[in-house]
Amino acid sequence: MTASLRFGRIAGIPVGASWSALLIAALIAWSLAGRLLPAQAPGLTLGAYWLAGIAGAGLFLGSLLAHEVGHALVARRAGLRVRGITLWLLGGVAQLEDEPASPRDELRVAIVGPAVSAALAVGFGLAAAALMVLGGPAVAVVVTAWLAVANLALALFNLLPAAPLDGGRVLRGLLWRRHGSRVRASLTATRAGVWVGGGLVAYGLLGAFTGWGFGSLWTALIGWFLVTAARQERDHALLRNDLDGLRADQVMTPAPATAPAWFTVDAFLRNYVEPWQAATLPLRTFDGRPAGVVTAAALYAVPRDRRHIVRAGDVAIPMSALLLVAPDQPVADLTVRLAGGRTVAAVVAGGQLLGLITQADLARTGQGVSPRLAA
């Protein structure tokens, strides 16, 4: 879901898309121009069909974006930090750095996306009806009617009570409000996500190989994504439960001495990473200022024939991109923020770097804490 393409900002929220979103746009345009429009609005040129198909695909991506903007704006109003919005192969995602603090916030953030899609379905449906009554071009009627159906399908699909879909978030919010345990609610919602995703995989494969129903390999792919994402959310919920009550300074790896950012990767590996067996190291500039953090993985990823040219600072995580936390900050709050793109948190007090926290640190600590979740 990496945003390879940047479109700017909406209400201050960065908006982008993965290259895979272009594949979806191309498939929609091809489906409209090659099949639906010639059948429903015959008599036009191939170029006209393709123009209408591209317009329909663009409006559908705009509908996906509106769905995610709704999530992001309501989340920000609830006090949650929004990193950005990304459109990708299977839709879109509003990337939040925090989890809702209450069932009410959970429900509000979850329900607004399907509500936006339903409103768009009504709007496109009315537009199609108006065009038909006014004698508008048949191709425009077909495209707007298709957009109405597509947005309605998007709203209904997202309301399935299965995490990570919006309906799963709604289910989690309702269960959380009912029995007061976010973890129990998360486990139930993710279990539903696994079952629904598994059902879609089976249905899709059955349809793809037998021609029965509306199943296809695309349906199976969506189901596989649901199963994978639901399991990841389940693991995250359990990890957050295990880390509940711990502070950042109890989980961090104490920061070793800072290493020179100006060393080449080859020299850095030879003189610091390998002797110290360090997975993550803070860097300093010539004048002693912090220069970010570099991971052993990033250093080893540099091709061997370039390690004598590239410097450690060139592949480091800059200070501006680090997640800075106080020693007494609850570490459970970091599980979402480190899972959302930032890989290292720096524990800082009085301008001094005390330690570093990575996802590996959280996982290791979670494994060492006895579960406190009631059966």
Side-chain angles (χ1 to χ4, degrees):
M1 299 184 200
T2 303
S4 306
L5 305 172
R6 301 287 181 179
F7 299 144
R9 294 174 178 267
I10 295 178
I13 301 170
V15 175
S18 163
W19 287 105
S20 61
L22 298 182
L23 174 61
I24 292 300
L27 288 174
I28 292 174
W30 173 78
S31 179
L32 290 174
R35 300 176 61 183
L36 181 65
L37 293 177
Q40 299 294 325
L44 300 179
T45 65
L46 180 62
Y49 288 136
W50 270 103
L51 283 175
I54 292 171
L59 287 170
F60 181 70
L61 290 184
S63 300
L64 289 177
L65 180 59
H67 180 111
E68 299 303 331
V69 167
H71 285 309
L73 292 180
V74 174
R76 194 167 63 178
R77 185 171 298 178
L80 308 180
R81 287 164 289 199
V82 182
R83 182 179 297 115
I85 295 171
T86 302
L87 301 181
W88 70 298
L89 180 64
L90 297 180
V93 59
Q95 298 165 312
L96 307 183
E97 289 197 355
D98 309 287
E99 288 193 348
S102 67
R104 179 173 179 269
D105 289 342
E106 178 84 81
L107 290 168
R108 289 173 58 201
V109 174
I111 201 65
V112 68
V116 169
S117 295
L120 288 172
V122 172
F124 282 121
L126 292 175
L131 285 171
M132 188 179 300
V133 170
L134 296 175
V139 68
V141 174
V142 174
V143 169
T144 50
W146 178 86
L147 286 166
V149 173
N151 275 281
L152 179 60
L154 182 64
L156 294 177
F157 177 74
N158 272 279
L159 284 175
L160 289 175
L165 297 176
D166 296 331
R169 310 283 189 222
V170 171
L171 175 62
R172 184 171 75 168
L174 292 173
L175 293 176
W176 182 7
R177 185 168 63 184
R178 179 182 178 184
H179 51 59
S181 172
R182 172 164 51 188
V183 177
R184 280 182 57 191
S186 296
L187 293 180
T188 301
T190 55
R191 191 178 299 116
V194 171
W195 279 100
V196 170
L200 288 175
V201 170
Y203 179 72
L205 293 177
L206 179 65
F209 292 115
T210 68
W212 180 80
F214 298 98
S216 66
L217 291 178
W218 188 254
T219 305
L221 176 62
I222 294 174
W224 173 81
F225 165 73
L226 284 181
V227 171
T228 303
R231 287 174 173 169
Q232 289 176 343
E233 282 207 12
R234 176 199 60 196
D235 295 342
H236 168 75
L238 291 173
L239 175 61
R240 183 183 176 91
N241 179 72
D242 289 343
L243 296 175
D244 189 37
L246 296 179
R247 303 187 311 271
D249 58 359
Q250 295 175 303
V251 174
M252 70 181 188
T253 299
T258 56
W262 62 90
F263 269 36
T264 63
V265 169
D266 192 33
F268 199 95
L269 288 171
R270 188 172 57 252
N271 291 280
Y272 290 94
V273 174
E274 293 170 359
W276 294 2
Q277 294 294 299
T280 308
L281 283 169
L283 300 179
R284 68 177 185 275
T285 61
F286 272 117
D287 55 5
R289 292 182 294 106
V293 170
V294 69
T295 64
L299 294 167
Y300 282 116
V302 177
R304 288 184 178 274
D305 60 350
R306 292 186 51 80
R307 291 180 183 176
H308 68 289
I309 301 173
V310 178
R311 300 183 183 277
D314 296 334
V315 295
I317 304 170
M319 292 299 295
S320 59
L322 283 175
L323 181 59
L324 304 181
V325 300
D328 59 351
Q329 180 167 330
V331 76
D333 295 341
L334 300 181
T335 55
V336 174
R337 304 182 73 183
L338 286 181
R342 302 191 187 189
T343 56
V344 180
V347 183
V348 179
Q352 299 296 315
L353 177 64
L354 303 182
L356 302 172
I357 300 175
T358 65
Q359 290 176 308
D361 292 321
L362 297 180
R364 183 176 59 252
T365 304
Q367 291 171 357
V369 177
S370 29
R372 295 186 293 275
L373 179 64

